[in-house]
Amino acid sequence: MKIISDISIEKVREMLEEVTDPEVPVLTINDLGIVRDITLDGDRVEVTITPTYSGCPALDMIAANIRMTLLSYGFADVKVSNAISPAWTTDWMSEKGKQKLKEFGIAPPNAKPQFCNTNYFTENEAVQCPHCDSWNTRRISEFGSTACKALYQCKDCQEPFDYFKCH
Amino acid sequence: MHNTNLEPAILTEYLLHLADDALILGHRNSEWCGHGPVLEQDIALTNIALDLIGQGRNFYQYAASTANQSGLRILQTVEEKEINEDSLAYLRDTREFRNCLLVEQTNGDWAKTIMRQFLFSSFQYLLYSKLQESRDSVIAGISAKALKEVTYHMRWSGEWVIRLGDGTEESRHRIMQAITELWTYTGELFAPTDYEKSAADAGIGANLPSLKTEWDKRVAEVFHEAILPHPGGTGEGGLTADPWMQSGGKSGLHSEHLGFILTELQFMQRAYPACEW
Ligand SMILES: [Zn+2]
């Protein structure tokens, strides 16, 4: 049994690199930007996370994985709490995370969130194909395989792809 | 406590109302899973269902904590147990649900499901816009989060209303039929119950009548774009200028449909009490 002592918050954050998003396994929870706070008290630690979407089904599993990971490093007690406010935004995703998404075949979120737009049939957001880098793409559906993604197709290489939509 | 000027019983009832609206519409949409007209739209509705059920969970969790903190007995059916989000969803009977009548209406065809979503999302968008400034910080947080999701729901369903209204003769006929069937349930959205009035007076809830003008405007814009007659008007295909509005759901007086929804939704917990996955 390992014993935890003199651990820093930075070190805990490094341990959390082992916890990934079950729906997009190339992303760690640090990449996603959902770790809001870490507090240390001796061999006890509390991690506060925030959901990407209200109904994100992965959140409970992520919380369990955080517990398992930190307990395996020797923490005596791990508490995971959930903070809904301020609401998560794709702006909190790391640049490294965006790069990993692209390599995985998912177009990373654009920098400027457009969720606030309530106009109907507005121009599709320009999204770059993660396969051939073409900007000549079209949106097939605003809703994709998970809540955080939209479905696109590249008009040059014809490949369909997921877009991690702005939020 | 996150606020001090609303009785726990009233706050809890208000939270249950917000949660029930989201859960019941989410459940209705989930009935489409595997039955959508094309895969992308099946997925879209399931995503919307997931968002709504998630919003419902957040409000139920808060309702459970306000009820437990104040020792409130809100479940006639369970005793001696601490209330939690699951018991609120799975163990209350129809009369204890506080959702509006609109969200429990049957799915009908695609047009009716779309119209129900559009009418409700347009309302929910305005409601959450107000609630994100609630004096209750938990309600404000849940609503600010949910607003982003509802914006997608409103845009998606509004685009479908336009597509169907300005589509073929068949699609137009169906979406007009949907308006006829559902319009009578829209009045209840803006007619506050006592708990909604108290919540609004305390700066915790929204003043519902004040949302009506903006809702009318948004709905009229989409109907205009869809070349659909506005039900408020008396022109060709329109309903009467002042149609009869059904209400009661928010006070626990539901249509027969809610009982059927709960039969399916609550089956596992009724048949195998306290079962867990
Ligand atoms: Zn391409």
Side-chain angles (χ1 to χ4, degrees), chain A residues 33-55:
Chain A
I34 62 168
V35 178
R36 301 312 304 150
D37 197 25
I38 298 169
T39 50
L40 279 165
D41 179 16
D43 55 2
R44 294 162 187 276
V45 62
E46 177 171 359
V47 180
T48 306
I49 54 176
T50 192
T52 52
Y53 282 70
S54 297

Side-chain angles (χ1 to χ4, degrees), chain B residues 246-264:
Chain B
Q246 302 277 354
S247 64
K250 296 197 292 189
S251 316
L253 301 173
H254 295 277
S255 61
E256 74 272 26
H257 305 305
L258 184 64
F260 289 95
I261 294 175
L262 296 188
T263 302
E264 184 172 310

Side-chain angles (χ1 to χ4, degrees), chain A residues 51-55 60 84-85 88-89 114-115 117-121 140 142-144 146-147 165-167, chain B residues 40 43-44 47-48 50-51 54-55 58 118 125 145 148-149 151-152 154-156 158-159 162-163 218 222:
Chain A
T52 52
Y53 282 70
S54 297
D60 290 343
I84 208 166
S85 184
W88 177 83
T89 153
Q114 305 204 345
F115 61 83
N117 185 348
T118 62
N119 298 328
Y120 301 99
F121 293 117
I140 295 172
E142 210 153 33
F143 297 90
T146 66
K165 66 193 179 198
C166 287
H167 202 70
Chain B
E40 287 78 9
I43 290 172
N47 267 299
I48 293 171
L50 200 58
D51 285 343
Q55 293 164 16
N58 289 333
F118 172 66
Y125 174 80
K145 175 98 203 142
K148 292 181 172 194
E149 295 152 10
T151 307
Y152 275 110
M154 183 173 71
R155 212 167 52 189
W156 174 83
E159 288 178 1
I162 296 168
R163 235 179 245 125
R218 287 178 167 276
V222 168

Side-chain angles (χ1 to χ4, degrees), chain A residues 129-134 136-137 154-159 161:
Chain A
C129 170
H131 306 296
C132 74
D133 288 344
S134 164
N136 187 19
T137 61
C154 177
K155 289 196 261 189
D156 283 335
C157 74
Q158 305 298 326
E159 284 290 325
F161 63 92

Side-chain angles (χ1 to χ4, degrees), chain A residues 56-101:
Chain A
C56 177
L59 201 68
D60 290 343
M61 191 168 166
I62 289 172
N65 289 343
I66 291 173
R67 276 181 54 80
M68 299 281 283
T69 302
L70 295 183
L71 286 172
S72 77
Y73 275 103
F75 279 102
D77 188 39
V78 179
K79 189 173 174 222
V80 182
S81 11
N82 187 358
I84 208 166
S85 184
W88 177 83
T89 153
T90 39
D91 286 349
W92 295 351
M93 188 182 285
S94 70
E95 286 308 314
K96 189 177 65 150
K98 290 178 185 172
Q99 193 54 42
K100 282 199 268 183
L101 268 183

